[in-house]
C-alpha cells in the first residue's frame, strides 16, 4: 500500500472508532423536522367589515396534536396604527395530515384595516407544547364586494 492510502485508511478507522465510542451508528437518527409557518405576501382588507383576511402555509414537522394558528396584525395609518388578533383553525397534526394552507380573518380592535403595507405575527401552535412563530410583512389589497 502507498503511504497516502494508509493515512486515509487510518483516518477513516479513527473516525469510525470515535463514532462507535459516542454511540453513533451509520445511519444514526437525524433530528426531527421542526414545525414551520409562513404568511402569503398579500391579504385582503374588508373596510366595511373592519377586518382583514390573510393566509399562508404550515408544516407540522414531527409534532402531532391539536393545532391552530394565532395571528396578530398591525398596520400603520396616518393617525396611528390599526391592530387586530384572530385565529386560523387547521384541526390537528396527524400522521395523515402534516402540512397545508391556513387562512384567518382578523377583526380590527379599533378603526378598519385598509389597503397597504401591514405586518403579521403568525404562530403555529401544536398542543400540548409546540410553538413556532414568524413575523412577516405583507400587503393588504382592498376587497371589493360583488353586486
Amino acid at each position: 500500500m502507498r503511504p497516502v492510502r494508509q493515512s486515509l485508511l487510518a483516518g477513516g478507522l479513527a473516525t469510525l472508532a470515535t463514532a462507535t465510542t459516542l454511540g453513533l451508528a451509520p445511519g444514526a437518527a437525524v433530528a426531527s423536522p421542526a414545525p414551520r409557518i409562513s404568511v402569503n405576501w398579500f391579504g385582503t382588507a374588508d373596510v366595511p367589515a373592519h377586518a382583514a383576511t390573510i393566509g399562508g402555509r404550515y408544516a407540522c414537522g414531527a409534532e402531532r396534536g391539536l393545532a391552530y394558528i394565532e395571528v396578530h396584525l398591525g398596520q400603520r395609518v396616518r393617525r396611528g396604527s390599526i391592530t387586530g388578533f384572530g385565529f386560523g383553525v387547521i384541526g390537528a397534526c396527524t400522521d395523515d395530515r402534516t402540512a397545508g394552507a391556513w387562512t384567518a380573518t382578523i377583526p380590527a380592535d379599533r378603526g378598519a384595516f385598509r389597503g397597504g403595507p401591514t405586518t403579521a405575527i403568525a404562530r403555529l401552535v401544536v398542543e400540548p407544547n409546540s410553538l413556532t412563530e414568524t413575523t412577516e410583512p405583507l400587503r393588504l389589497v382592498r376587497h371589493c364586494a360583488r353586486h
Side-chain angles (χ1 to χ4, degrees):
M1 271 189 168
R2 291 183 175 163
V4 173
R5 288 191 179 172
Q6 279 183 330
S7 65
L8 288 175
L9 179 62
L13 289 174
T15 302
L16 181 60
T18 303
T20 304
T21 302
L22 295 174
L24 301 174
V30 178
S32 300
R36 294 183 321 273
I37 185 168
S38 66
V39 177
N40 294 339
W41 293 359
F42 292 95
T44 58
D46 189 343
V47 177
H50 301 271
T53 301
I54 67 169
R57 308 253 339 135
Y58 72 94
C60 300
E63 299 293 325
R64 299 295 177 263
L66 175 66
Y68 56 91
I69 307 291
E70 295 178 356
V71 180
H72 293 268
L73 203 57
Q75 185 177 51
R76 306 278 298 160
V77 293
R78 280 183 247 161
R79 297 181 185 168
S81 63
I82 306 293
T83 60
F85 176 76
F87 288 96
V89 178
I90 57 175
C93 289
T94 64
D95 289 337
D96 295 330
R97 185 170 152 175
T98 60
W102 63 270
T103 60
T105 298
I106 301 98
D109 295 333
R110 286 190 326 255
F113 289 110
R114 308 245 182 239
T118 307
T119 301
I121 300 171
R123 294 183 184 108
L124 169 60
V125 180
V126 183
E127 296 291 342
N129 58 2
S130 178
L131 175 74
T132 301
E133 179 178 295
T134 186
T135 301
E136 297 186 34
L138 69 138
R139 178 167 287 282
L140 293 179
V141 178
R142 189 175 172 132
H143 173 73
C144 297
R146 302 204 184 241
H147 297 279

